[in-house]
Amino acid sequence: MMLRYFVYTFAAIWFIHAFWPSVAHAQQQPRPVSQCQAIAETLPQATFASFTPAAATKGQTTAGEVTISYLGHSTFLIETPGGVLIATDYSGWYAPSMPPTVATMNKAHSSHYTLTPDPAIKTVLHGWSDSGQPARHDLVVGDAYIRNVTTDIRAGGGTMEHDGNSIFIFEVADLCIGHLGHLHHELDDSHYSQIGRLDVLMLPVDGGLTMGAESMSRVVSRLRASLILPMHRRGPPIDAFLDMFGDDYDKRYADSASIKVSLRSLPSKPLIYILKGV
C-alpha cells in the first residue's frame, strides 16, 4: 500500500514538472481577436491581435506594405511584410511562380478550388465543410491573421446550399482585406457584423454568375472599403459596373497587375481600382 502511494506521488510530481509549464503558458496566450470587427471593441478585457511588420530585407516587401497581385479569375496573391504568400480561391489554374504559404478555396465551381493542391502549400483552407457544420477558420500564419465568414451558394434545382462559400478576411499590417469569394446573395446584418471593417475589398463583377450588379453594388456601398479590387469578370463590360457608382467613388484602371498598399497609403475617397488582367 505504501509503495503504491509513493508511486502515485512520484507520478503526480513528474506530470506537474513535465507538463504544467506548457499548460500554464497555453492558458496565458490570449485567443486572437479581430481588429476588423467593430463589435470586438465592446468586449471587456479583449486583447486585439497585433502584428509588428518584420524588418524588410533585400528582396522583401517594404515593411508595412502589402503587395496584392491579380493572377486571374478570382485568384489574388497577397504578400505580407513578413513574407507570407496567400493565394485566394486557389484552383491551380492561376498559380503563382512559387507555392503560396496559404491557399484559400471555395467550392462553388472547379475554377475556385482543387482537391489536389500543390503539396508544398503549407496551409489549405476550404471555405466549406464536409461535416455539415459551417467551416470555421481562425488562425495566425506568420504576420497574417486569417478568418472566414460563411455564406450560402446556389445548388442544383434552384436551391441554396447553406455555408458552401466563405468570405475570407486577412488582417495584415493593420489592414483588413476581404475576399468575397463566389458570393451568391446579398449579405445581412449578421454577415456585416462578422466581417467588420474592410480596408481592401475583392469582389466579383460578372453581372450575374455570382449575383447581379445592382445587388453587388449595394454590398460594396455597405462595406465602404477604401480600395475596391474587382475580379471574376464575365459578361457585361466592367464599365457597366463602374457606372453604378457616382462621384462618391473614384475609378481608375491600373497599368500593372499589382498594387502595394499600406494603412497610410489608403485613398481617402473610395477607389475602384481595376488591376491589369481583370
Side-chain angles (χ1 to χ4, degrees):
M1 190 72 174
M2 185 64 68
L3 178 61
R4 182 181 300 176
Y5 170 79
F6 281 117
V7 169
Y8 287 166
T9 302
F10 176 79
I13 293 173
W14 175 85
F15 177 85
I16 291 172
H17 281 281
F19 293 104
W20 181 254
S22 59
V23 172
H25 178 73
Q27 290 176 341
Q28 292 170 0
Q29 296 300 312
R31 178 181 176 273
V33 177
S34 169
Q35 297 185 65
C36 305
Q37 287 179 285
I39 192 173
E41 295 179 356
T42 66
L43 295 175
Q45 299 179 340
T47 302
F48 288 84
S50 179
F51 307 108
T52 303
T57 58
K58 185 177 180 180
Q60 281 189 316
T61 306
T62 303
E65 280 189 331
V66 177
T67 300
I68 301 174
S69 301
Y70 180 68
L71 301 185
H73 204 52
S74 59
T75 302
F76 290 89
L77 183 68
I78 302 170
E79 183 177 357
T80 76
V84 175
L85 301 178
I86 304 168
T88 65
D89 271 15
Y90 179 91
S91 65
W93 292 11
Y94 303 97
S97 57
M98 60 185 298
T101 317
V102 180
T104 64
M105 301 180 184
N106 280 298
K107 72 169 183 177
H109 294 291
S110 60
S111 55
H112 294 255
Y113 79 100
T114 175
L115 297 180
T116 56
D118 188 330
I121 301 173
K122 295 179 180 179
T123 303
V124 175
L125 304 178
H126 289 173
W128 72 95
S129 171
D130 295 323
S131 67
Q133 299 297 317
R136 287 288 178 260
H137 300 297
D138 181 29
L139 71 159
V140 174
V141 180
D143 58 341
Y145 172 36
I146 305 171
R147 59 190 179 89
N148 72 310
V149 176
T150 58
T151 65
D152 301 340
I153 58 173
R154 285 188 297 272
T159 61
M160 296 293 282
E161 178 184 348
H162 295 303
D163 302 309
N165 176 71
S166 277
I167 296 170
F168 280 96
I169 299 158
F170 313 97
E171 303 192 21
V172 182
D174 295 324
L175 289 169
C176 305
I177 303 170
H179 187 286
L180 293 186
H182 213 277
L183 185 62
H184 285 179
H185 60 81
E186 290 194 43
L187 304 175
D188 59 30
D189 287 343
S190 67
H191 293 119
Y192 290 115
S193 176
Q194 292 175 70
I195 293 169
R197 183 188 101 238
L198 286 185
D199 302 306
V200 181
L201 173 64
M202 304 162 177
L203 77 154
V205 290
D206 50 60
L209 291 175
T210 50
M211 65 183 188
E214 289 189 9
S215 295
M216 191 64 74
S217 69
R218 285 193 288 269
V219 172
V220 172
S221 298
R222 176 73 182 267
L223 288 170
R224 196 67 179 179
S226 296
L227 180 62
I228 300 154
L229 302 177
M231 63 177 185
H232 201 265
R233 184 176 67 84
R234 291 289 187 274
I238 197 166
D239 287 344
F241 177 78
L242 297 178
D243 288 343
M244 305 192 72
F245 298 88
D247 294 337
D248 291 341
Y249 291 80
D250 284 333
K251 302 120 181 179
R252 194 182 311 159
Y253 284 84
D255 56 6
S256 169
S258 298
I259 183 174
K260 293 181 183 294
V261 61
S262 68
L263 197 61
R264 295 183 300 276
S265 69
L266 286 172
S268 56
K269 182 179 179 180
L271 170 63
I272 303 176
Y273 197 57
I274 300 93
L275 293 172
K276 191 173 182 179
V278 174

